[in-house]
Amino acid sequence: MLDPRLHTAWLVNAASGAAAATVRAPMARPSSWRGVHDRLVVTDLEVVTVTHDTAILTWSTHRRDRAGRLRPAAADTEVLLAPADSSAAPATRYLDGRRTAHHYAEVRGLEPGRRYRFRARSDGETAVPGRTWVTRRPGTPEATGVFRTAPPPPGRLLRTIALANDLHWGEDRSGLIVAGLPPGLRHDDGLYPQVMTEALLHDIRRPERAADHLVVAGDLTDCGSAEQSEGIRARLDAWGSAGVDHFVCRGNHDIGRGEHDHWGAVFQPFGQLTCHELGGLRLIGLDTTRRRGAGGTIDADQLARLRATLAADPDRPTLVFGHHPATRYAALSNPGGPGFVLDHASTSALQACYRTTPGIFLHHSGHTHRNRRTRPDSGDVEYLEVAAVKEYPGGYALLRLYEHGYTVHFHRIAAAAALAWTSKTRKQYFGLHPDHALGSLPDRNHRAPHDFSGVTPLR
């Protein structure tokens, strides 16, 4: 089901494109055409990540072909910075002379708790945000040219957990809502979920990320077939050990289309709750899927086990993950409507459990393919939806636990092939996908207090 507002916006976009097409007729090129044709277009600027000492910016560069269409064009990558409270002109803090059309700049060594003026550019041309409200609305870093770093929580860094979802291993076309509509996008070799997953697993092991664990909240596969389930399990096991390094739960795409539960045979049976202890930290995975349909539920047996598990140790720091978002706000704000997320009875029962369990600090979900820090219906637990790995914005969230709080930072996968696919899929759904999927800067980057003093550091 489509949100009527999205449907209206799509019609406006389509009508605008049609109107533009009606006035584009073959004619002699004006004398100024060569200047327009050769001009580098530097756009799609996004301040994706801002940590206590790092900012990551991405953008793309294009030139128009002879038909006036924008095509990727290689250029250099530069970011200039200055403290916002200084009158000094911004100075170059990042410069990469390698030529690319898909730009990724990670500026390190910033001061915590400071505002910075910035300018991103390629071949001397300033990058501007794309034609999306999420980066053009008043107050965004892309609109103001200013971002602010935030100090980390007090205490030592204890653990770093990568939160990911919606890998869709085996999918061959991206951007479909119903069969064949809207027109989907294909990768050059048809293996974009594998490209993105490989890049993800490499990215979170980089020294700058140093993830200790990976949590995947569902839709590991496209259709739950034996080949897809075995393929993604083998790749995850090559990265680390199940139940120690990586943890998963089922998504609706993992159900499968036949009678045999291939995904369950490879990972865990249908409707099963999982619980793991990691040096004082508890990870609980929920199976929120139905045997039919995209929406979610939690059966009585699983809820009973959850209640018993939480009641046995209510103060233990606990991260819960399940595929379907679990708040009323998520039900009303996603384009699929309430029937697309966890049903109301399960949501109410889940949140009742959380209200008597002070150790629970975060509930991680996927399914909506968007970054969204959802308002809880009650209590203090954070409900976090993380965007898909397999398409724009193409990334994962890093959850860092300190002794007295945690941070969440969304990271775009940095590999060149991943950036190229991410740039291509931002055009999905008639160009409206960024407004749905990227989320605001606070959705992607925030911190919260919590007592993790009982969690042992891994290193």
Side-chain angles (χ1 to χ4, degrees):
M1 185 175 83
L2 297 179
D3 188 320
R5 292 169 296 178
L6 285 181
H7 183 61
T8 301
W10 287 351
L11 292 177
V12 170
N13 264 23
S16 299
T22 61
V23 298
R24 189 187 301 133
M27 61 179 67
R29 302 294 189 198
S31 58
S32 61
W33 170 253
R34 182 170 296 278
V36 174
H37 178 265
D38 291 341
R39 179 174 173 270
L40 188 68
V41 178
V42 188
T43 187
D44 301 336
L45 173 66
E46 293 173 356
V47 182
V48 179
T49 311
V50 181
T51 76
H52 67 282
D53 63 354
T54 300
I56 301 175
L57 296 79
T58 65
W59 65 93
S60 58
T61 47
H62 305 82
R63 295 187 193 275
R64 295 193 180 276
D65 63 16
R66 299 182 68 84
R69 295 183 294 262
L70 286 174
R71 301 296 189 189
D76 67 11
T77 304
E78 184 180 12
V79 175
L80 300 89
L81 282 183
D85 57 2
S86 166
S87 60
T92 298
R93 288 286 299 268
Y94 182 95
L95 178 62
D96 189 344
R98 292 174 294 180
R99 315 287 287 178
T100 181
H102 312 291
H103 303 268
Y104 183 102
E106 184 165 351
V107 186
R108 302 175 195 155
L110 304 179
E111 295 182 42
R114 192 156 196 186
R115 295 172 69 245
Y116 287 90
R117 289 180 286 118
F118 72 93
R119 182 183 174 196
R121 67 185 186 186
S122 289
D123 287 0
E125 295 286 341
T126 299
V128 298
R131 296 181 180 277
T132 57
W133 176 245
V134 68
T135 51
R136 285 185 176 262
R137 61 187 174 189
T140 64
E142 297 85 357
T144 63
V146 176
F147 63 78
R148 181 184 182 276
T149 59
R156 296 174 298 163
L157 174 63
L158 303 173
R159 301 270 174 140
T160 300
I161 303 171
L163 306 178
N165 40 264
D166 298 279
L167 312 182
H168 289 238
W169 185 277
E171 185 178 87
D172 65 358
R173 183 175 296 187
S174 184
L176 300 179
I177 296 178
V178 295
L181 292 173
L185 299 173
R186 291 185 183 273
H187 194 270
D188 291 342
D189 61 8
L191 300 175
Y192 61 86
Q194 286 86 326
V195 169
M196 297 300 287
T197 299
E198 290 286 347
L200 162 74
L201 297 176
H202 172 78
D203 210 73
I204 60 179
R205 280 277 167 84
R206 292 167 55 195
E208 308 93 295
R209 309 291 179 262
D212 302 311
H213 312 286
L214 170 64
V215 172
V216 187
D219 280 5
L220 283 75
T221 67
D222 179 48
C223 66
S225 68
E227 180 182 11
Q228 293 175 6
S229 301
E230 291 165 1
I232 187 60
R233 177 62 191 262
R235 186 60 193 91
L236 290 174
D237 286 350
W239 183 85
S241 300
V244 176
D245 301 307
H246 66 81
F247 309 84
V248 306
C249 68
R250 189 193 301 259
N252 58 295
H253 276 263
D254 301 318
I255 291 295
R257 297 168 184 167
E259 293 299 321
H260 189 68
D261 182 11
H262 297 290
W263 194 94
V266 171
F267 289 100
Q268 59 239 7
F270 182 81
Q272 179 174 301
L273 176 147
T274 62
C275 182
H276 299 275
E277 303 281 347
L278 301 172
L281 174 69
R282 180 167 55 192
L283 267 60
I284 294 179
L286 302 175
D287 186 342
T288 60
T289 59
R290 300 177 183 271
R291 294 194 183 276
R292 298 287 185 273
T297 192
I298 305 177
D299 63 31
D301 288 344
Q302 194 174 181
L303 278 171
R305 185 180 172 199
L306 176 64
R307 292 188 186 100
T309 300
L310 297 178
D313 196 354
D315 295 315
R316 182 178 295 277
T318 301
L319 164 67
V320 181
F321 61 101
H323 188 59
H324 293 83
T327 65
R328 286 195 295 270
Y329 180 78
L332 296 174
S333 65
N334 85 88
F340 192 67
V341 299
L342 197 66
D343 64 66
H344 179 67
S346 298
T347 293
S348 298
L350 198 64
Q351 295 198 29
C353 290
Y354 292 179
R355 285 195 294 272
T356 59
T357 313
I360 296 178
F361 63 96
L362 188 143
H363 182 111
H364 161 220
S365 61
H367 192 50
T368 55
H369 293 209
R370 66 180 183 177
N371 288 311
R372 190 66 61 95
R373 187 186 189 188
T374 304
R375 294 195 301 267
D377 301 331
S378 62
D380 299 321
V381 174
E382 175 179 340
Y383 295 85
L384 181 69
E385 299 167 50
V386 179
V389 168
K390 65 103 173 177
E391 64 188 9
Y392 176 93
Y396 55 93
L398 274 190
L399 170 67
R400 289 193 169 99
L401 307 183
Y402 295 80
E403 288 178 300
H404 301 291
Y406 66 89
T407 61
V408 171
H409 296 294
F410 181 78
H411 287 266
R412 177 161 286 156
I413 300 169
L419 291 173
W421 177 248
T422 297
S423 180
K424 184 173 183 178
T425 51
R426 71 176 286 119
K427 302 177 182 66
Q428 290 180 161
Y429 311 119
F430 308 103
L432 296 173
H433 195 44
D435 282 322
H436 164 74
L438 182 61
S440 69
L441 188 68
D443 285 329
R444 302 190 307 272
N445 301 274
H446 53 269
R447 51 173 279 176
H450 195 82
D451 182 11
F452 293 104
S453 56
V455 175
T456 57
L458 197 59
R459 290 182 289 273

